[in-house]
Amino acid sequence: MLSSMTSLAATLLWQDPSTATNTPESATHVEETFRLLNAPPLWVTILVILPLTVAFAYWSYSGLTRLERPVRVTLSILRWLAIAVCLLLVFEPAFELTTYRKTRHQVHVLVDDSASMQRKDRYPDETQRSALTELTGESEIGTRTRQELVAAALERENGVLTGLAETHDVRLFRVQRKPVPIRALSQMTSRGNRTSLGDPLDLHLTSAGNQNLEGVVLVSDGRNNSGLDPVEVAQNFAMRGIPIYTVGVGDPEPPRNAWIIGPPGPKEALREEEVGFDITLRAEGLEGKSARIELLGSRDGGPFQPLATQMSDLPENGEGRRVRVFHAFREAGDWTLKFKLAPQEDESQLDDNEDVRFLRVNDERIRVLYIEDLPNYRYRYVKNGLKRVDPSIQMQALLLDASPLFIHESSDELEPLQRLPRTEKELLQYHVILLGEVPPEKIASTEEGIRQWLDMLVKFVEFGGGVGFLAGFHPDGFSQVSMPERYRNTPLQDLLPVVLEDPVWLMAQRREPKPAFRPLLDNPLQPHEMLMLQRDASLNRRLWQEGMAGFQVYHPVQRAKPGASVLLRHPFDENAYGKRPLAVVSPYPRGMTFFFATDETFRWRAPYGEVYQDAFWRNIVRYLAQGRLQRRNDLLELTLDKLTIETGDKVRVQLRMLDAELQPAVSSEQPIYLRDQQNQTEKRVLRAVPGEPGSYQGSFTMAESGAYSFVIFANDNPADTVLAREDVLVKVPDQEMSQSSQDREALERIAEASRSADGTGRYVFLGDVDTLVEDFRSRKAFESREDTKTEPIWDSGWSLLIVLLLLGIEWLLRKRARLI
């Protein structure tokens, strides 16, 4: 009925300052319309009511011929007006106030927040480089990260965000595993350890709901490496009529990149010790090119100084090449080591040509206790070798069968031993204990004394010490050998890194002359560091396979224990577990244990003299000593649950602490410091573990990649002595960084899949991102009715006054005409 009266409505468009709102996403206005709420249909009014009222008004005065015509017409009009006003009031006139909200369409800008946005691209293509330079105003594009270029391109004055905001409600989101709203691109982190585009797009479409979303702008390199397929998700956008505009970030050309992966260790070294660092080279599109690796070092936070250089060739795509760099540190201290790969002339990315590690170099000497019963050949050559091979090794030898007047061998700096150490304090003076062919009864005269000393040896290893078990030889057969057969069913058997052979089988074996054999490297391509007698890996392999003399006797064991590493195996003697192990090393749990099945390394003297024999035993001692070397303070034990983690993951730090009285610490918390590769420290706190006195722990999220150290300082002062230190390497996942060039094809397929019937949605390079403004400029805002109010006027006093006024005028004219 209201619509039928539009010809009678007077519409006024006005803005009420008290009710109108203007926000970036919406604006409101009010329309006031005059309505007849109870009027009949329009045709009834025009064809019936209007003629009848006119006829009635004319009939009322047409018969009064005595009146002049103007008077009759005037009175008829007044009569009709009065009737019309009365009818109008019956039709219930009113003003209708309608509030409308004009809402601008939303455009959501999703920006990739994965770690690959930290990459720096050189953009060898001149067109791309020029476009980015002009857009961002950055003259050195190659020195800026992708995230910095995105921020410069999108947020610049009169840029794409400003242009879109003129016609649309623009909202920003950073994208890792899910879209997170942000106010500005400065809130980006570039720390995501995965590039997941499908998952956040799917979540975003679901969360958008009934929002007036007109388009999505996805800013990314397109390297989706986890989650849903973004192309399939983009098809869901197309069904909702929401196009996706993809903006490509990074160099879209095939990658030409070489990068370096720092060594896994060591973390500790001795002054003047030659340390080898195993570095891994990888490359894409640069295979075969010459590479220069440089080692730089900073001691105690000082300036970096060049230490060593090594040349190599870059490997083929997808492969790694190990390069070993050597250096002997002349000064003790905490060193920050920087491994740098010289950039190639046409390399596209340079931000991964450097890696950092920490190394502690100290003046500590490795103290070795070497115990034998008789002065056999092994004793003669091993103790002489340890005395001369390395000035950082101090050795004390003990022959248990010697007379009381015998002066035992030792390094020049140490006094000769007179007896076997009998207390934990005496034993903890050593880093390594080598236990040779020693009958148990020579250790102590009673069973209880033997067990007590072996228990003390177990505690020594648990405290970080290293023990080497050197199998002996007995002409009457394997079962008569003291080490290891006489130590079955003793605490020492648990320390052994091997499972002993069945004693019945051993008794059945007879010693018969056998041909000499050369031990086999268990891993010829990457042998254990204890077996590296030559710097060059190929020469070292040839030395073991062809160069050194073989052995004639060995003591068979069944197999290595779980968790142990087999270093050498017998070339042909085997059992159900494979070739029998000859050399095995294993952690237990903070120290190290080593088993060697032969006593004939003296045969290596032909034709090389003591060179390789001494180097072998030096490597054994150095490796076994690492647990004690890393334990700087016997009152503290600092451990991490992981040594290598990915960005965004947590590392759990555990500390066990004793006071000066060797009793568990009782404080509720303990401070610890996190030191980064710039030697900057940040204080953290470990909380006491309920029910475990002296134990503290804490979990920390490692957001930034790099090498970090958790450090305990004396007196809680970073300038004081380091009491304990554990390192953790935080790295971006290989799949996130190894293939990080822009995948333009993937971004184009995402945009193509999201296109609806109108054909919107397309790919643009970051340098051309401003062209997206024109794609959205013609879109109109969405208008919706917010509220409607009716203000009736038919029952007001003014309406009655008008009717009375008309009737009063008619009455006066009638009286003047003497009709009353």
Side-chain angles (χ1 to χ4, degrees):
M1 185 177 295
L2 293 177
S3 60
S4 65
M5 298 298 297
T6 53
S7 62
L8 301 177
T11 302
L12 300 175
L13 190 64
W14 64 293
Q15 186 80 19
D16 186 353
S18 63
T19 59
T21 60
N22 288 285
T23 65
E25 63 275 3
S26 65
T28 60
H29 65 275
V30 177
E31 290 184 1
E32 185 180 77
T33 308
F34 178 76
R35 302 288 186 186
L36 298 177
L37 302 181
N38 198 29
L42 183 61
W43 67 270
V44 173
T45 302
I46 296 177
L47 299 180
V48 178
I49 296 177
L50 185 61
L52 287 177
T53 56
V54 172
F56 178 78
Y58 177 76
W59 173 80
S60 297
Y61 292 100
S62 62
L64 299 176
T65 56
R66 63 185 182 82
L67 297 177
E68 295 180 357
R69 183 180 178 84
V71 175
R72 292 201 310 270
V73 171
T74 301
L75 290 172
S76 296
I77 291 175
L78 290 173
R79 176 65 57 88
W80 181 83
L81 287 175
I83 295 173
V85 171
C86 290
L87 287 175
L88 184 64
L89 295 179
V90 172
F91 292 168
E92 297 183 6
F95 283 106
E96 186 179 81
L97 302 177
T98 303
T99 303
Y100 292 92
R101 180 175 296 275
K102 183 178 290 186
T103 305
R104 293 195 290 177
H105 293 284
Q106 294 183 14
V107 174
H108 293 181
V109 181
L110 278 60
V111 185
D112 187 353
D113 200 29
S114 65
S116 61
M117 297 297 283
Q118 299 176 12
R119 301 302 305 253
K120 298 177 181 179
D121 304 277
R122 300 180 72 179
Y123 297 98
D125 184 88
E126 181 62 32
T127 303
Q128 297 172 358
R129 189 166 60 252
S130 299
L132 283 175
T133 301
E134 182 179 355
L135 181 69
T136 63
E138 300 285 351
S139 58
E140 297 293 335
I141 296 297
T143 64
R144 299 295 184 181
T145 65
R146 293 176 178 178
Q147 183 55 51
E148 291 172 341
L149 292 178
V150 167
L154 269 59
E155 292 187 327
R156 71 186 186 92
E157 187 177 359
N158 299 323
V160 62
L161 293 183
T162 304
L164 292 175
E166 293 177 357
T167 56
H168 290 76
D169 174 18
V170 181
R171 303 189 179 185
L172 294 175
F173 298 82
R174 60 181 178 90
V175 174
Q176 289 186 10
R177 297 176 182 176
K178 61 180 180 180
V180 178
I182 57 176
R183 294 185 177 275
L185 293 178
S186 59
Q187 295 178 257
M188 300 292 293
T189 64
S190 299
R191 295 174 179 172
N193 54 14
R194 298 285 188 277
T195 296
S196 177
L197 300 180
D199 289 349
L201 282 174
D202 186 59
L203 290 171
H204 196 71
L205 182 62
T206 303
S207 63
N210 296 323
Q211 295 184 39
N212 191 28
L213 182 60
E214 190 169 71
V216 171
V217 178
L218 176 62
V219 184
S220 173
D221 57 21
R223 287 290 180 181
N224 187 74
N225 50 44
S226 68
L228 299 175
D229 183 358
V231 176
E232 294 181 0
V233 177
Q235 295 172 354
N236 298 332
F237 276 77
M239 289 188 289
R240 291 275 297 272
I242 303 173
I244 300 177
Y245 296 81
T246 55
V247 180
V249 181
D251 186 3
E253 299 299 322
R256 297 179 61 82
N257 186 36
W259 66 97
I260 190 171
I261 301 175
K267 298 189 296 182
E268 305 281 337
L270 299 175
R271 190 171 61 86
E272 300 293 346
E273 174 190 9
E274 188 174 61
V275 185
F277 302 97
D278 290 325
I279 301 163
T280 301
L281 296 181
R282 293 187 179 274
E284 289 181 292
L286 296 172
E287 59 273 9
K289 292 203 171 187
S290 179
R292 181 174 178 269
I293 303 102
E294 186 176 5
L295 170 62
L296 298 95
S298 166
R299 184 174 69 89
D300 297 330
F304 281 93
Q305 301 292 336
L307 302 178
T309 302
Q310 184 66 40
M311 300 299 296
S312 181
D313 292 333
L314 294 176
E316 296 183 359
N317 293 352
E319 296 184 1
R321 176 162 296 168
R322 191 174 72 171
V323 181
R324 175 162 281 199
V325 179
F326 292 89
H327 181 69
F329 295 85
R330 294 184 174 86
E331 295 180 277
D334 283 315
W335 286 78
T336 302
L337 303 179
K338 187 179 294 185
F339 300 88
K340 297 184 66 174
L341 176 64
Q344 301 292 323
E345 182 178 354
D346 50 353
E347 190 172 354
S348 58
Q349 297 164 342
L350 300 178
D351 56 325
D352 51 8
N353 288 35
E354 185 178 298
D355 209 350
V356 175
R357 296 291 186 272
F358 295 118
L359 179 73
R360 179 189 178 227
V361 179
N362 56 53
D363 285 321
E364 191 171 359
R365 301 290 185 91
I366 299 175
R367 295 193 64 177
V368 181
L369 173 60
Y370 178 27
I371 307 172
E372 288 277 9
D373 183 35
L374 298 170
N376 52 35
Y377 274 105
R378 176 174 61 198
Y379 169 79
R380 296 176 184 178
Y381 292 109
V382 171
K383 57 97 175 173
N384 289 336
L386 293 178
K387 289 172 65 176
R388 64 173 170 254
V389 68
D390 193 330
S392 65
I393 295 177
Q394 296 178 332
M395 185 276 305
Q396 287 177 307
L398 187 67
L399 291 174
L400 297 183
D401 193 60
S403 69
L405 300 179
F406 180 75
I407 300 177
H408 296 275
E409 297 280 353
S410 65
S411 299
D412 295 337
E413 301 88 348
L414 299 178
E415 294 292 330
L417 280 176
Q418 299 300 322
R419 60 177 178 81
L420 190 67
R422 293 295 179 185
T423 66
E424 290 184 15
K425 183 176 181 181
E426 291 177 345
L427 210 60
L428 287 175
Q429 294 176 358
Y430 298 96
H431 297 82
V432 177
I433 297 175
L434 299 179
L435 191 59
E437 181 65 1
V438 176
E441 61 270 16
K442 293 294 184 71
I443 294 177
S445 58
T446 65
E447 291 292 334
E448 181 63 23
I450 295 173
R451 179 167 292 274
Q452 286 180 358
W453 196 89
L454 295 180
D455 286 338
M456 191 169 61
L457 189 64
V458 172
K459 292 182 179 179
F460 169 78
V461 179
E462 291 178 342
F463 214 67
V467 175
F469 301 104
L470 314 180
F473 169 80
H474 199 285
D476 294 338
F478 296 124
S479 61
Q480 302 301 314
V481 173
S482 296
M483 177 59 68
E485 296 303 323
R486 298 280 304 279
Y487 292 91
R488 289 178 182 270
N489 302 319
T490 69
L492 187 144
Q493 186 172 359
D494 294 334
L495 281 181
L496 284 169
V498 294
V499 177
L500 300 181
E501 187 55 271
D502 184 357
V504 177
W505 182 88
L506 288 176
M507 291 180 65
Q509 304 303 308
R510 294 184 179 180
R511 284 205 180 270
E512 297 177 355
K514 293 183 179 181
F517 63 90
R518 285 192 176 92
L520 296 179
L521 295 171
D522 191 64
N523 187 351
L525 296 181
Q526 292 186 347
H528 196 279
E529 61 184 271
M530 297 165 70
L531 305 179
M532 291 299 296
L533 308 181
Q534 280 276 4
R535 283 189 178 184
D536 186 272
S538 60
L539 292 178
N540 184 74
R541 186 165 55 250
R542 286 189 59 191
L543 184 66
W544 282 98
Q545 294 174 349
E546 305 172 10
M548 295 190 298
F551 304 137
Q552 293 185 357
V553 297
Y554 86 105
H555 186 82
V557 294
Q558 190 179 90
R559 58 181 173 85
K561 288 182 178 179
S565 300
V566 177
L567 311 183
L568 298 172
R569 292 186 183 273
H570 199 284
F572 48 82
D573 192 1
E574 58 185 354
N575 59 10
Y577 300 98
K579 291 183 170 59
R580 293 186 184 274
L582 298 177
V584 182
V585 67
S586 175
Y588 184 94
R590 294 180 291 275
M592 286 287 175
T593 61
F594 171 70
F595 174 78
F596 196 44
T598 182
D599 61 354
E600 294 190 322
T601 56
F602 62 85
R603 297 187 183 277
W604 291 344
R605 296 170 63 247
Y608 307 106
E610 288 82 8
V611 174
Y612 296 124
Q613 176 190 251
D614 290 357
F616 175 77
W617 288 106
R618 181 257 179 209
N619 290 352
I620 299 298
V621 167
R622 181 63 184 86
Y623 189 80
L624 294 179
Q626 62 180 340
R628 291 285 289 155
L629 290 175
Q630 294 174 9
R631 194 181 181 99
R632 305 182 184 206
N633 190 304
D634 292 338
L635 302 179
L636 301 175
E637 181 187 344
L638 182 64
T639 59
L640 306 181
D641 65 332
K642 302 172 186 175
L643 300 180
T644 302
I645 63 173
E646 296 179 350
T647 53
D649 290 346
K650 288 186 175 182
V651 59
R652 187 173 64 182
V653 183
Q654 292 182 308
L655 173 65
R656 291 180 179 174
M657 189 172 186
L658 304 177
D659 59 21
E661 303 298 327
L662 299 182
Q663 297 299 314
V666 295
S667 59
S668 61
E669 61 183 36
Q670 288 293 336
I672 191 171
Y673 288 83
L674 178 64
R675 184 173 62 188
D676 61 20
Q677 55 197 37
Q678 282 77 40
N679 286 307
Q680 301 298 316
T681 57
E682 178 183 348
K683 188 175 182 179
R684 304 289 179 91
V685 174
L686 303 179
R687 306 294 180 184
V689 179
E692 298 183 24
S695 295
Y696 304 85
Q697 70 177 16
S699 295
F700 306 102
T701 301
M702 309 301 291
E704 300 285 350
S705 61
Y708 296 86
S709 293
F710 286 94
V711 186
I712 303 289
F713 293 102
N715 302 316
D716 192 21
N717 182 3
D720 213 328
T721 306
V722 175
L723 300 180
R725 190 196 92 201
E726 283 294 330
D727 302 328
V728 59
L729 176 63
V730 184
K731 64 177 185 177
V732 178
D734 291 339
Q735 63 178 355
E736 178 66 17
M737 301 301 280
S738 60
Q739 293 184 345
S740 57
S741 61
Q742 182 193 145
D743 191 346
R744 175 171 179 168
E745 180 181 354
L747 293 172
E748 289 177 339
R749 287 190 291 112
I750 293 172
E752 177 69 26
S754 71
R755 290 180 184 172
S756 53
D758 59 1
T760 54
R762 64 188 178 100
Y763 162 86
V764 296
F765 178 61
L766 179 62
D768 304 317
V769 69
D770 282 357
T771 61
L772 292 180
V773 176
E774 295 300 323
D775 292 51
F776 291 92
R777 193 179 297 279
S778 60
R779 311 293 175 87
K780 300 297 184 182
F782 174 76
E783 189 172 84
S784 61
R785 179 182 294 181
E786 290 280 306
D787 185 35
T788 300
K789 294 189 300 184
T790 302
E791 296 182 357
I793 59 176
W794 59 271
D795 60 348
S796 66
W798 288 101
S799 59
L800 179 61
L801 181 62
I802 292 174
V803 172
L804 293 177
L805 179 64
L806 292 174
L807 293 177
I809 294 174
E810 181 185 3
W811 183 82
L812 291 174
L813 291 177
R814 285 172 60 85
K815 186 173 184 178
R816 187 175 179 178
R818 298 181 184 275
L819 295 178
I820 298 177

